[in-house]
Amino acid sequence: PRLPDNLTEHFELPDEDEFEACLFNEADMAHERLVAREFRQCVFRRCTLTDALLTRAAFVDVIFDHCDLSRANLDSALFQRVTFDTCRLSGADMVQAILRNATLTGCKADYVNLSEAKLDHVAFTDTILTEAAFEAVTHKSAEFAGCDLTRATLFRTSLKGLDLRTCTIDGLTVNLPDLRGLIVTPLQAMELSKLLGLVVK
C-alpha cells in the first residue's frame, strides 16, 4: 500500500463517509454500521471490528495490523492494495468481495466466507483457513503458502494453476472436474484420491 508520511491518528471513528491518510490506533469499532464507507491510505492498528457491518465498503492502500475482524460483514467490499498482517477474520463474511493486489499473512481466517469473491493477485501466507468457503470464486494469480485449508470448501471454483504443496488440505471439499491443473504433492494426491472412492494401498 502507498501511504503518506504523516497520518492523522484517531482512537475512535469520526462520523464521516470518507477517510484518507488516517491511522486508527486501537480503535473499538465492534458492531459499528459502516456501510459503503471509503478508506484510502489508512492504517488500522490493533483495532476491533468484530461484528461490524462493512458491506460495500472500499479499502484502497490500507494496512490492517493485528486487527480483529471476526464475524465482520464485508459483503461486496473492495480491497485494493490491502495488507492483512496477523489479523483475525474468523467467520468474516466476504461474499462477492473484490480483492486486488492483497496479502493475508499470519492471519486466522477459519470459517471465512469468500464465496463468489473475485481474487486478483492475492497471496495467502501462513494463514489458517480451516472450513473456509471458496465457492464460485473467480481468481487470477492467487497464491497459498503454508496455509491450513483443512475441510475448506472449493465448489465451482477452478483450481487450475493453484499450488497447494505447502498447505494442509485434509478433508478438502471440491468438485472433481475443478481439480484439473491443481499442483499437489504425491501424499496430497493420495488424500484427494479419496474423492474418487479409490483405496490406495
Side-chain angles (χ1 to χ4, degrees):
R2 295 191 291 267
L3 299 176
D5 293 332
N6 296 316
L7 299 175
T8 303
E9 188 169 7
H10 297 276
F11 294 95
E12 59 183 21
L13 190 70
D15 187 15
E16 300 175 10
D17 292 329
E18 298 182 7
F19 304 89
E20 186 168 355
C22 295
L23 166 61
F24 299 103
N25 196 6
E26 299 185 352
D28 185 355
M29 305 178 194
H31 304 281
E32 289 277 2
R33 183 180 176 86
L34 304 169
V35 176
R37 301 292 179 91
E38 293 187 16
F39 300 87
R40 297 179 181 275
Q41 296 183 310
C42 294
V43 175
F44 293 81
R45 182 170 296 150
R46 300 188 182 281
C47 293
T48 301
L49 293 124
T50 53
D51 297 294
L53 183 61
L54 289 153
T55 55
R56 303 191 311 279
F59 301 90
V60 180
D61 295 314
V62 168
I63 294 174
F64 291 93
D65 179 14
H66 288 77
C67 293
D68 189 348
L69 295 99
S70 298
R71 302 179 306 279
N73 188 334
L74 295 154
D75 283 9
S76 304
L78 168 67
F79 300 89
Q80 183 164 312
R81 295 187 298 276
V82 171
T83 296
F84 293 91
D85 184 2
T86 322
C87 292
R88 187 182 182 98
L89 292 117
S90 300
D93 196 344
M94 303 176 77
V95 173
Q96 296 184 336
I98 298 173
L99 289 84
R100 298 193 188 112
N101 297 294
T103 61
L104 290 87
T105 304
C107 295
K108 189 175 190 298
D110 50 323
Y111 299 100
V112 68
N113 188 353
L114 279 156
S115 296
E116 300 182 45
K118 295 182 180 180
L119 311 182
D120 186 355
H121 290 81
V122 178
F124 299 87
T125 304
D126 298 328
T127 290
I128 297 172
L129 292 161
T130 54
E131 302 196 45
F134 290 87
E135 298 190 27
V137 169
T138 303
H139 63 86
K140 177 182 179 182
S141 189
E143 299 179 3
F144 293 84
C147 295
D148 186 349
L149 286 155
T150 300
R151 296 185 301 280
T153 302
L154 292 94
F155 277 139
R156 295 181 293 129
T157 297
S158 172
L159 305 181
K160 185 176 181 179
L162 287 184
D163 188 342
L164 300 182
R165 287 177 294 177
T166 62
C167 300
T168 302
I169 61 171
D170 299 347
L172 196 68
T173 303
V174 298
N175 287 336
L176 293 180
D178 293 333
L179 286 174
R180 186 182 299 274
L182 177 65
I183 303 170
V184 295
T185 67
L187 285 176
Q188 289 173 324
M190 290 179 63
E191 174 69 23
L192 292 171
S193 71
K194 297 175 184 177
L195 298 174
L196 300 171
L198 299 178
V199 178
V200 181
K201 295 185 177 181

